[in-house]
Amino acid sequence: MKITILTLFPEMFAPLYGSIIGRAVNAGKLNIEVVNIRDYAENKHAKCDDYPFGGGAGMVMMPQPIGSAIKAVDPEHKARRIYLSPKGATFKQDKAFELLNYEHLVLLCGHYEGIDQRAIDLFIDEEISIGDYVLTGGELPAMVVCDCIARYVDGVISGESLVDESFGENGLEYPQYTRPAVYEGLSVPEVLLSGNHAEIDKWRRSESKKITQKNRPDLLGGKR
């Protein structure tokens, strides 16, 4: 899979090239391309924002640099083009699985007061939000979406590590423990030390349900 990120601040994406995602990129299992929108501005000073028509606070990203950048990285519109925006549909696990069906994703990061609506109307397939709050730009949401999707690309993470994750079956993951068996007076649940895998599975399902009921009852059909 190829993920192209369009941004005014490419330096913010250095963390994507570390840890598991970085190893996947180096191994050729994933292609992450970060593109500076300013490189496509057609004015003398590579200006990409201007005052909003009708007045108001802040600046708005201009359509020309965005449109030119998108046409350059996806000239035949074969990619799924996504604008990271607080006005978009909330990003959930199901959406991550859906986006895996595309060979190429283009993630557009807005900034300032947002982008000119014409850039959305002409070049964007959908808008995605990572939650009901507003950030200074779309860079962090783009990283969240990229990281979430990348985990499910073939060969990035072992299949065993993806089993029983939170949200995998509309529930939250059970508690995890490792050595030592006793830490500051707190012991690992005995069932996990028993070697009885049937009982361990039963305990994990029960704990998963308890945690989901407490923290996210909406996932079980209840009210939050």
Side-chain angles (χ1 to χ4, degrees):
M1 170 180 271
K2 180 178 182 180
I3 301 177
T4 301
I5 301 169
L6 305 180
T7 175
L8 294 174
F9 302 97
E11 65 276 9
M12 290 184 66
F13 291 90
L16 277 183
Y17 296 95
S19 189
I20 294 170
I21 306 302
R23 290 198 296 271
V25 170
N26 291 333
K29 300 181 186 300
L30 182 66
N31 181 0
I32 297 178
E33 173 187 39
V34 180
V35 174
N36 192 337
I37 297 172
R38 294 184 194 279
D39 292 343
Y40 294 90
E42 295 176 354
N43 58 79
K44 181 179 179 180
H45 300 291
K47 183 178 174 63
C48 290
D49 61 290
D50 211 329
Y51 295 102
F53 282 125
M59 306 289 278
V60 175
M61 289 178 65
M62 301 155 64
Q64 178 275 311
I66 293 171
S68 296
I70 291 176
K71 287 187 283 188
V73 301
D74 181 33
E76 298 180 5
H77 198 162
K78 292 183 177 180
R80 186 67 173 175
R81 301 169 174 181
I82 299 166
Y83 171 43
L84 285 309
S85 162
K87 296 187 292 184
T90 304
F91 185 64
K92 296 184 178 180
Q93 199 73 39
D94 288 348
K95 173 57 71 171
F97 294 142
E98 177 189 323
L99 294 178
L100 279 171
N101 294 315
Y102 295 93
E103 292 184 6
H104 186 192
L105 300 176
V106 174
L107 306 182
L108 171 62
C109 305
H111 222 81
Y112 312 121
E113 292 301 312
I115 73 176
D116 189 297
Q117 183 64 37
R118 291 167 293 183
I120 298 173
D121 295 341
L122 290 169
F123 303 109
I124 296 300
D125 296 315
E126 64 177 305
E127 297 181 53
I128 286 179
S129 166
I130 62 166
D132 294 339
Y133 44 86
V134 179
L135 300 172
T136 55
E139 284 74 19
L140 291 176
M143 279 189 269
V144 168
V145 171
C146 186
D147 186 279
C148 181
I149 294 170
R151 299 178 72 256
Y152 296 97
V153 172
D154 236 11
V156 174
I157 294 180
S158 69
E160 290 182 357
S161 296
L162 299 175
V163 175
D164 295 332
E165 288 191 311
S166 289
F167 309 110
E169 294 183 358
N170 293 324
L172 302 181
E173 191 176 7
Y174 48 79
Q176 299 278 12
Y177 296 89
T178 187
R179 292 182 176 82
V182 179
Y183 174 69
E184 296 205 1
L186 294 179
S187 300
V188 173
E190 288 186 17
V191 65
L192 298 180
L193 307 175
S194 68
N196 187 327
H197 294 292
E199 288 300 312
I200 290 173
D201 287 342
K202 181 179 177 181
W203 178 87
R204 285 174 169 170
R205 287 194 298 272
S206 174
E207 290 299 307
S208 173
K209 187 173 181 179
K210 287 178 186 175
I211 291 172
T212 306
Q213 185 65 56
K214 177 183 177 183
N215 296 337
R216 291 292 305 275
D218 54 301
L219 295 176
L220 299 175
K223 294 182 178 180
R224 190 170 183 184

